Amino acid sequence: MTNRLADTLSPYLRAHADNPVDWYPWGDEAFAEAERRDVPLLISIGYSTCHWCHVMARESFADPAIAALIDDGFVAVKVDREEHPEVDAAYMAAASAFTQNLGWPLTVFTTPRGRTFYAGTYWPPLARGPMPAFRDVLAAVREAWTERREQAEESADAVTEALRQAAASTPSDLPDAAAIAAAARAIAAREDSVHGGFGGAPKFPVATTLSFLQAPLVEREAPDAAAAAARALAAMAASDLHDDDGGFFRYATQRDWSVPHYERMLTDNAQLLDIALAARDEATARGVAAFLLTTLRREGGGFGAAQDSESWIDGVRDEGGFYLRPMEQRRGLEPPAVDGKVITGWNGLAIAALARAGAALSEPGWIAAAAAAADHVLRVNRDPRGLIVRASLGGAASPAAATTADVALLADGLLALAVATGEARWAVEARSLLDLAVAGLEGDPLLAARGIAAAPDQTDGDLPSASAALAHAGLTAWRLGAGDRYRAVAEEAVRAHAAAAVGQPFAHGSLLRVAADLLDGPRQIVVVTDEPDGALAAAARGAQADVVAIVTPAQARAFADAGFELFEGKADASGSADASGLAFDCRSFVCRLPVSDPAELPRER
């Protein structure tokens, strides 16, 4: 048997390299082999910190008898969903035609062309309650392919066509303040009034939804709904979902936030850092930042994707056992592994959050860490043509293509870093990336080449959708003065999905946040000073504003020279001021007379 997974970049695939299953990685070779043998593909999708992926691997993929059934009747393909999110999304959407219990591991059976005719998630090796045995599923799917192939292919074609039609969207007007407030109240109606958060069990942090509820427009127009965000954060921070070292677990299996699913994701924690900062919960923000910097940060400066739920304790794989021990008892244990993949968009989230929090809480080390991560991603996460790719591991770039969300989230992170450091070069790089995302990315080439229906990234999952990420980056660039065309980017992205967002607000929190912010003219504060730690700068950092930039005269000129009009003329205007500098308080680029007295800079919007 050819061991095809051992040399792949993905830790998840490498973990399956010793299985008796004859695995192929995602690529043309697997499809060619399925066509040559005229057998279906079994596509198994998961990720390295997924507990039930570990379980199915131990129970089934390591079993020689089950492996023989797989190899005899199928071409088996392993996919890391974190490395190939578009592949995961495409097959997750197809799987929804066969089961409502979606999740990972995702197990999909397709025609040799890659079209889905059956799917499910975890199956045990022996029948357990309503779940059939995996070996029986394999036998039934093989029989369907050999005995009722025409029916299977018709089903696959019908799913493909249904997904293609579902991808269409009808643009509408931007939602007004009343519609935004109504959407916020609809979300708040689902609040758990006893335990905080939304819905029952399992219960997720839903950071994208919390961010929407924290929008200034929501706080003004629907204050009762906005308050639900602070209650949710407080409940989570005081619960078992929040580990002693400051990091948050993926979700809680119980309504009261107890019995966590113990994996810890970069996506959740980066976004919750922003949520805590906006809620002025400094203790929680500092705890999350510490987790990012001490646990997930990798050699070279990038941030790993996640920390596993399982670890070795007394020679046995144990889910959650490490985290259940007090901090002082953990020191003698091997900690759960960190998936070291440096994912482009996820690092963009971390860069943005650390840059904003570092500036607001006077932590230059956090800003430096954000800059190191940005340097790493921009240098390492590139293909031979110099284009940004999805991820890297150990300094080696993945061949997987970057998504629109990846590039937009990275651009947004670099814009936040530009503001936090005062260095225009980050904003220039961000603008180039944003232009690339707006122009359109190639996407996964195999999906397109095989005519496999892609699932457009239109709703929030554990991070903003592609549309929302693009809209937010466009809005941020416009606020810095990159030009009205970037506001138009944000407006177009919101219009494309506005009707769906207002109708299903819980699934579109990130897009609704942009929609709310588009309605409010931004407050932009620029302090031009040679004393970045002085009283005037401190007053600016404590003010309620959408942009707070503390720059030297030379930095202000660099921004202006690079085409960011928010900074135009401000270096020259500050030339006659003393070292403490001048503060320019602007509303939608219309600035009041500059002030040098911190008391003259209003805190409120």
Side-chain angles (χ1 to χ4, degrees), residues 287-320:
V288 175
F291 167 70
L292 295 177
L293 296 173
T294 60
T295 300
L296 292 189
R297 184 161 57 167
R298 303 289 87 193
E299 184 178 354
F303 292 92
Q307 186 175 29
D308 209 332
S309 62
E310 295 185 3
S311 62
W312 290 102
I313 298 179
D314 297 329
V316 177
R317 292 293 287 178
D318 188 303
E319 185 196 8

Side-chain angles (χ1 to χ4, degrees), residues 177-421:
I180 295 291
R185 293 189 188 99
I187 289 172
R190 297 176 59 180
E191 183 183 15
D192 182 339
S193 60
V194 176
H195 300 292
F198 304 94
K203 188 174 281 186
F204 290 79
V206 290
T208 54
T209 298
L210 300 183
S211 177
F212 166 52
L213 295 179
Q214 290 180 324
L217 185 148
V218 175
E219 291 179 345
R220 184 176 68 248
E221 301 292 335
D224 291 344
R231 289 192 291 268
L233 179 65
M236 288 188 288
S239 75
D240 294 343
L241 194 75
H242 193 198
D243 192 35
D244 291 343
D245 69 358
F248 282 86
F249 298 111
R250 182 71 187 94
Y251 63 88
T253 63
Q254 303 301 309
R255 178 187 162 197
D256 63 356
W257 297 108
S258 64
V259 193
H261 187 60
Y262 287 101
E263 61 183 316
R264 301 198 286 184
M265 312 297 293
L266 176 59
T267 48
D268 296 324
N269 283 279
Q271 292 176 95
L272 287 171
L273 174 53
D274 263 336
I275 298 299
L277 185 68
R280 293 182 172 80
D281 184 346
E282 183 173 338
T284 299
R286 288 187 175 278
V288 175
F291 167 70
L292 295 177
L293 296 173
T294 60
T295 300
L296 292 189
R297 184 161 57 167
R298 303 289 87 193
E299 184 178 354
F303 292 92
Q307 186 175 29
D308 209 332
S309 62
E310 295 185 3
S311 62
W312 290 102
I313 298 179
D314 297 329
V316 177
R317 292 293 287 178
D318 188 303
E319 185 196 8
F322 177 87
Y323 303 109
L324 288 169
R325 285 164 168 74
M327 289 293 292
E328 62 271 12
Q329 292 183 17
R330 297 182 193 180
R331 295 189 180 95
L333 297 174
E334 179 182 348
V338 171
D339 183 331
K341 288 197 310 299
V342 177
I343 298 175
T344 296
W346 298 13
N347 272 256
L349 288 170
I351 291 164
L354 285 168
R356 285 190 283 261
L361 300 178
S362 300
E363 289 288 351
W366 300 1
I367 301 172
D375 273 326
H376 180 87
V377 172
L378 291 172
R379 184 181 71 257
V380 177
N381 288 27
R382 294 189 183 272
D383 68 11
R385 299 172 294 172
L387 299 178
I388 294 289
V389 297
R390 168 68 175 174
S392 64
L393 179 68
S398 166
T403 65
T404 297
D406 282 323
V407 176
L409 290 172
L410 178 58
D412 204 54
L414 296 181
L415 290 168
L417 186 58
V419 173
T421 61

Side-chain angles (χ1 to χ4, degrees), residues 555-592:
Q555 289 174 330
R557 291 189 187 93
F559 271 102
D561 290 345
F564 291 89
E565 64 180 68
L566 177 62
F567 299 86
E568 286 183 2
K570 293 180 173 56
D572 295 334
S574 65
S576 60
D578 60 25
S580 63
L582 290 176
F584 299 82
D585 189 359
C586 314
R587 304 297 193 283
S588 297
F589 301 96
V590 178
C591 303
R592 299 174 179 176

